Amino acid sequence: MRIVTVRRLSQVFFLAVFLWFCITATLGTAWWRWRGWPVNWLLDLDPLTALSTVLATGTLYATLLWALVTIILTLFVGRFFCGFACPLGTLNQFTGWLARRGLDPDGRVEANRYRRAQNLKYYLLVGLVALALTGSVQTGIFDPLPLLHRSVNLALAPLADNHLGLLHDEPRAYASAWLLGVVFLTLVGLNLVWPRFFCRFACPLGALFGLLSRLAPWRIGKTADTCGDCRICELYCEGACRPSGTFIAGECVLCMNCLDRCPAGRVTFAGQASAAGEVGLPDLSRRGLILAGGGLLLASMWGVGALAGAARDPRLLRPPGALDEERFLAHCIRCGQCMRICPTNILQPALFEAGVQGLWTPAVNFHISRGGCLLNCIACGQICPTAAIRPLSLEEKQGVGAFADQGPIRLGTAFVDRNRCLPWAMDRPCLVCQEVCPVSPKAIFTRTVFQTLRDGQALPAKAQGAEVDLNTAFATTANLASGDYYLQPTGQSEAARRRITGWAGARLTLERPLAAEDLQAAGARVDIVVRLQRPFLDAARCIGCGMCEHECPVSGRRAIRVYSENESRSRPGRLLI
Amino acid sequence: VTRPTDADRLSPAELSRRDFLKRLGYASAVALAASGLGLVLYDPKGPAPVEARKALTGLGDYRVAAPALGGGKLAIVRGTERAVMVEQGVKALGGMEAFIRRGDRVLVKVNAAFASPPALGATTHPEVLAAVAGLCLKAGAAQVLVTDNPINNPESCFAISGLADAAQTAGARILTPSPAFFTPVSLPGGKLIRNWPVMAGVFQGVTKVIVLSPVKDHRRAGASMTLKNFYGFLGGRRNVFHQDINGIITELSQLLKPTLCVLDGTLSMVTNGPTGGSLSDLKDTGTMVISTDPVAADAVGVELLGRSLADVPYLRMAEQAGAGLADYHRLHPVLLNTKA
């Protein structure tokens, strides 16, 4: 079998694996849903994720150990991952090939010429590594694997959900999905300018592989310095690594096209330098490195803004089990796996809620979502490839069993907005928030008041048994016979109050007749009162799950909202002692 | 003359073979190193919920001789001149030499909570600081440090309260709180001070601690005097502890056992405390309290405010916790009058 056929099969395999894991990274009862599938495998193989989190945290988390496999292979044979495995590389190669079919050979050779701008990716890598050293992991923004996972998870797969109902019956919503789409389509579209545009110019993972392949004993090369001027190898070269001349080993993505296409069979993959000469890496200019340093200086000013500390947006909630903000930003690679797996769709890619530093990190939103954070769900922490969200057990999340001492994991605390709440501000019974509060005993409790309705005070009334006639029909859009409304002789005690059970025009029917002496004492005047159960919050019991906020019928700015106070992950946010 | 190089001696094929073996060796070495590092850093469990830092159990006991309960010393000095009252009171307890040994490094905890001028009585009066620092240095102290973690920004507080000037004149050094000074403390048996940031860094090398406090009205706590002044050792969002003000002050009484307490009731802030803001909030109570027992000192202060122990529950609670005696008469206080 030809080596390019092997390469193509391998590319198809990895792309298929990637797509399959995207499908299975959903919750449900069907066999193809997530049940032990190693859905993070490609992210685990990514040494840039391993490197940046190691630099930022000093530890190599669990399955990220897979990165060693990639690292070791790259050390010996070069950037095989780019040519044989990377699903984004495959996508880039495919679109580049599609765009250039039938183009004239000179144009194609020109498109595959080595360009100095290919150094950009090394500067980007230097900047990202330096940032990781300062504790801010930003690799995921540019790293092709998190990038592709994020794009598919949050922009492309939801299209399939929402229009074809393929993976979810209900639509999935992701904030600013269009922006993720713009980024993804731009990356793919740039292949129309030059093939493998992202791989050659921007990919920091490719740059890392380039550095790792510096010492690779086996590499592409020519067996003889001289050859004709056919340049067929460069017609098909994916890495723009100059196989016909002085070969740039660090830029070669091992597409093997030169080896396959050379009419004289002069290209080999062997344990020796190209007869036409080779360099390990392109010349990295001092100017570029200074530029990377400048970018780092700028990025270090994020901390001055204190967005992870004192200036934190109190509406920024993180998934259950998330580390404190500082450590969170040292772990999260913005792959979007948590946002995809979350069954209630509460996890959203942050745009600026978490500051520039927190771009596309998961932030909780109870409005876009299909509900609150489920008491019996720990999916996000179980899928998180870097433990930015700790892999909680149900016991730990609920604060039972061995975790009874520390209590449940709290995302924040709900606050009742009395100016917007129906029973607090509008004389309407409601209490949805208390109904859906999932903790036991409930965090939302009530205090009952009887409130005289607007224009419902001291109305002249005549009683006949359980029926009371007002002078005129009482004008209200509320249903006075709903059981929440009462008649009370004006100025008389609670004991004189009677529930209204029927209502027709000016006639009201009561549960029991009014006491004659009460009505007489009131000067034959009555008040129409409503019984309101007003919600109060027991902050010691609230876990900030947001069920109340999601279900609150005040549909715009909810009348009960969860803020980050008292969240488990941050000590400074502690509310109760 | 140039020495012959490998290239001159070896055939191209041999060179290439050498290069290959060298690369193989290097790549293997890097692979081994990477694997080793990976295994060393390998963390199958993942990060802890809260970053673990070793917590201290308190700030220490700085009493000259840890006395049995009721063994404290107390002087109550009437007068108007703070420096004179401090000097006389300390003298009555055996002089500063009874507390400060040659070479001692003394930490003076002032109340510098607000950026408020000394005349308004919201902060430790600079004359008290000057007098105490002077006595310490005279007694042979190697260094006098002055500190607080105030409510307003530290630089403004120390400058406007006059404490910075007083310290400089007396030869003492101000330590304003920097993040590096704060270390978590878990008080044994404490319910509130658990893994909480406390300004322990300023205690580096300190051998004696003197607390200088004004007498002030405080709506939530009943009164702010010596023990409430300890609040200024806490860091973090410490105001959550106001939910249990008596509980936190009682725990603070266990956090630290000072060498000496000076409670300044020359003028007491009787209304609008603890910020004050008007001369009319102050009352001439003409008293300086010098004591080794913070609870006893505060019990005197309560009377200056015209209040009783029942108005300030934390004093009885601190007494029960062993911090001192609320019935200060049992210490047989020395009574002095410097006015005569």
Side-chain angles (χ1 to χ4, degrees), chain A residues 54 58-63 65 68 71-72 75-76 212-219 271-273 278 323-324 327 331 386-387 390-391 396 406 568-569 571-577, chain B residues 16-17 19-20 23-32 34-39 41-52 191-192 194-197 237 240-244:
Chain A
V54 159
T59 58
L60 183 63
Y61 176 59
T63 50
L65 202 61
L68 282 177
I71 290 176
I72 291 169
L75 280 169
F76 289 96
L212 288 175
S213 66
R214 176 73 185 75
L215 295 168
W218 287 279
R219 59 245 193 242
Q272 62 188 33
E278 68 166 22
L323 299 171
D324 54 273
R327 288 195 300 155
H331 285 81
T386 62
R390 290 188 303 115
E396 182 173 5
Q406 63 194 57
S568 300
R569 71 196 189 103
R571 296 189 54 79
R574 187 168 153 189
L575 175 63
L576 300 183
I577 57 167
Chain B
S16 171
R17 204 178 66 85
D19 178 62
F20 173 76
R23 281 171 170 259
L24 202 60
Y26 284 143
S28 308
V30 176
L32 271 175
S35 308
L37 202 64
L39 291 175
L41 301 176
Y42 179 61
D43 170 23
K45 283 200 311 230
V50 179
E51 214 164 1
K191 288 196 173 71
L192 303 172
R194 278 198 312 204
N195 199 18
W196 193 267
R237 294 205 60 82
V240 292
F241 294 130
H242 271 50
Q243 292 164 53
D244 182 4

Side-chain angles (χ1 to χ4, degrees), chain A residues 407-539:
Chain A
I409 297 287
R410 300 177 303 270
L411 272 61
T413 305
F415 289 81
V416 178
D417 185 342
R418 294 183 179 183
N419 283 315
R420 299 180 70 85
C421 172
L422 292 169
W424 274 106
M426 299 170 198
D427 285 352
R428 290 290 174 124
C430 175
L431 216 53
V432 171
C433 52
Q434 190 267 358
E435 173 185 333
V436 297
C437 177
V439 299
S440 175
K442 285 180 186 287
I444 297 174
F445 64 99
T446 60
R447 292 191 170 110
T448 302
V449 295
F450 287 84
Q451 190 73 49
T452 305
L453 295 190
R454 178 187 186 186
D455 301 329
Q457 189 155 27
L459 307 174
K462 275 194 231 124
Q464 222 172 19
E467 296 186 329
V468 175
D469 289 319
L470 305 175
N471 268 7
T472 53
F474 185 74
T476 176
T477 58
N479 175 13
L480 294 184
S482 65
D484 291 316
Y485 295 86
Y486 291 73
L487 213 58
Q488 183 161 7
T490 305
Q492 303 308 301
S493 73
E494 284 173 26
R497 196 162 54 212
R498 299 287 184 272
R499 174 177 285 179
I500 299 168
T501 55
W503 178 34
R507 169 160 293 182
L508 299 169
T509 310
L510 305 182
E511 202 171 35
R512 284 184 297 134
L514 292 169
E517 60 274 22
D518 287 335
L519 195 55
Q520 198 176 12
R525 284 175 182 269
V526 292
D527 297 343
I528 301 178
V529 296
V530 60
R531 187 181 71 123
L532 298 169
Q533 295 160 298
R534 289 179 168 159
F536 284 79
L537 207 105
D538 184 349

Side-chain angles (χ1 to χ4, degrees), chain B:
Chain B
V1 181
T2 53
R3 291 177 55 196
T5 62
D6 282 357
D8 299 326
R9 288 194 304 245
L10 299 171
S11 69
E14 176 64 12
L15 258 180
S16 171
R17 204 178 66 85
R18 283 202 165 192
D19 178 62
F20 173 76
L21 289 175
K22 222 156 78 179
R23 281 171 170 259
L24 202 60
Y26 284 143
S28 308
V30 176
L32 271 175
S35 308
L37 202 64
L39 291 175
V40 168
L41 301 176
Y42 179 61
D43 170 23
K45 283 200 311 230
V50 179
E51 214 164 1
R53 282 185 68 187
K54 205 172 170 313
L56 304 173
T57 55
L59 294 176
D61 186 342
Y62 297 89
R63 290 173 294 188
V64 170
L69 191 62
K73 296 185 191 177
L74 174 65
I76 302 172
V77 191
R78 307 284 173 191
T80 51
E81 290 299 319
R82 291 185 175 88
V84 177
M85 291 153 82
V86 167
E87 197 178 345
Q88 296 290 311
V90 170
K91 199 170 155 193
L93 299 188
M96 199 53 104
E97 292 74 14
F99 304 102
I100 305 296
R101 297 260 179 274
R102 187 155 293 280
D104 266 343
R105 195 170 148 102
V106 185
L107 182 71
V108 177
K109 168 67 173 75
V110 292
N111 182 338
F114 304 104
S116 166
L120 293 179
T123 48
T124 297
H125 201 282
E127 287 170 15
V128 177
L129 173 61
V132 170
L135 289 175
C136 288
L137 290 168
K138 223 168 98 185
Q143 192 175 25
V144 177
L145 304 167
V146 181
T147 196
D148 191 16
N149 180 22
I151 292 172
N152 298 154
N153 68 301
E155 288 82 358
S156 302
C157 287
F158 281 105
I160 294 176
S161 66
L163 290 165
D165 276 349
Q168 198 184 7
T169 311
R173 187 176 150 219
I174 302 269
L175 289 180
T176 49
S178 80
F181 285 153
F182 291 89
T183 311
V185 169
S186 291
L187 199 66
K191 288 196 173 71
L192 303 172
I193 304 179
R194 278 198 312 204
N195 199 18
W196 193 267
V198 170
M199 197 164 55
V202 296
F203 286 82
Q204 192 82 47
V206 163
T207 50
K208 297 285 158 61
V209 176
I210 302 183
V211 185
L212 313 182
S213 321
V215 177
K216 298 198 288 179
D217 167 55
H218 193 285
R219 181 62 56 91
R220 178 71 181 105
S224 167
M225 300 169 295
T226 309
L227 287 177
K228 176 67 176 64
N229 193 2
F230 288 14
Y231 219 102
F233 285 120
L234 295 177
R237 294 205 60 82
R238 56 191 176 184
N239 296 339
V240 292
F241 294 130
H242 271 50
Q243 292 164 53
D244 182 4
I245 195 78
N246 292 303
I248 186 67
I249 298 177
T250 305
E251 289 197 11
L252 285 169
S253 76
Q254 305 303 300
L255 182 68
L256 170 80
K257 301 283 164 64
T259 315
L260 195 64
C261 309
V262 177
L263 183 63
D264 177 12
T266 314
L267 295 174
S268 295
M269 184 183 289
V270 289
T271 53
N272 213 35
T275 50
S278 166
L279 291 175
S280 63
D281 292 324
L282 304 181
K283 183 183 168 192
D284 180 357
T285 47
T287 305
M288 185 73 67
V289 186
I290 320 285
S291 178
T292 56
D293 178 338
V295 182
D298 283 1
V300 181
V302 166
E303 290 181 3
L304 298 180
L305 289 170
R307 293 171 198 173
S308 70
L309 288 179
D311 298 321
V312 189
Y314 64 76
L315 287 179
R316 285 291 188 206
M317 291 161 67
E319 180 182 57
Q320 268 167 27
L325 265 189
D327 297 320
Y328 68 87
H329 296 287
R330 283 167 54 194
L331 293 184
H332 309 294
V334 183
L335 302 175
L336 297 172
N337 194 335
T338 62
K339 272 189 280 192

Side-chain angles (χ1 to χ4, degrees), chain A residues 320-333:
Chain A
L323 299 171
D324 54 273
E325 193 64 9
E326 203 175 302
R327 288 195 300 155
F328 186 79
L329 292 175
H331 285 81
C332 178
I333 55 164

Side-chain angles (χ1 to χ4, degrees), chain A residues 219-502:
Chain A
R219 59 245 193 242
I220 290 285
K222 275 163 66 177
T223 51
D225 187 5
T226 51
C227 64
D229 52 4
C230 72
R231 313 279 300 275
I232 285 176
C233 51
E234 279 165 25
L235 206 65
Y236 297 99
C237 176
E238 287 291 323
C241 53
R242 213 158 52 201
S244 74
T246 309
F247 174 63
I248 308 167
E251 293 296 293
C252 172
V253 296
L254 252 60
C255 67
M256 302 292 181
N257 283 342
C258 53
L259 191 136
D260 183 62
R261 299 272 181 172
C262 179
R266 248 184 223 111
V267 181
T268 58
F269 183 73
Q272 62 188 33
S274 174
E278 68 166 22
V279 290
L281 287 175
D283 270 347
L284 298 180
S285 76
R286 191 174 299 178
R287 242 185 319 175
L289 291 173
I290 289 173
L291 209 68
L296 178 66
L297 183 69
L298 207 62
S300 63
M301 290 168 197
W302 292 337
V304 181
L307 272 176
R312 226 191 100 187
D313 181 350
R315 283 289 273 163
L316 173 64
L317 308 177
R318 295 293 194 187
L323 299 171
D324 54 273
E325 193 64 9
E326 203 175 302
R327 288 195 300 155
F328 186 79
L329 292 175
H331 285 81
C332 178
I333 55 164
R334 305 116 208 260
C335 58
Q337 296 287 69
C338 56
M339 308 180 216
R340 185 66 186 153
I341 199 82
C342 176
T344 53
N345 204 186
I346 64 170
L347 300 183
Q348 297 289 328
L351 197 54
F352 294 115
E353 297 92 316
V356 180
Q357 263 202 103
L359 180 67
W360 296 327
T361 54
V364 174
N365 184 317
F366 295 124
H367 293 218
I368 298 179
S369 65
R370 179 63 184 80
C373 180
L374 297 176
L375 209 57
N376 290 301
C377 177
I378 46 171
C380 53
Q382 293 295 325
I383 203 170
C384 179
T386 62
I389 311 169
R390 290 188 303 115
L392 300 178
S393 62
L394 270 179
E395 275 198 338
E396 182 173 5
K397 185 174 186 204
Q398 299 173 353
V400 296
F403 298 90
D405 273 358
Q406 63 194 57
I409 297 287
R410 300 177 303 270
L411 272 61
T413 305
F415 289 81
V416 178
D417 185 342
R418 294 183 179 183
N419 283 315
R420 299 180 70 85
C421 172
L422 292 169
W424 274 106
M426 299 170 198
D427 285 352
R428 290 290 174 124
C430 175
L431 216 53
V432 171
C433 52
Q434 190 267 358
E435 173 185 333
V436 297
C437 177
V439 299
S440 175
K442 285 180 186 287
I444 297 174
F445 64 99
T446 60
R447 292 191 170 110
T448 302
V449 295
F450 287 84
Q451 190 73 49
T452 305
L453 295 190
R454 178 187 186 186
D455 301 329
Q457 189 155 27
L459 307 174
K462 275 194 231 124
Q464 222 172 19
E467 296 186 329
V468 175
D469 289 319
L470 305 175
N471 268 7
T472 53
F474 185 74
T476 176
T477 58
N479 175 13
L480 294 184
S482 65
D484 291 316
Y485 295 86
Y486 291 73
L487 213 58
Q488 183 161 7
T490 305
Q492 303 308 301
S493 73
E494 284 173 26
R497 196 162 54 212
R498 299 287 184 272
R499 174 177 285 179
I500 299 168
T501 55

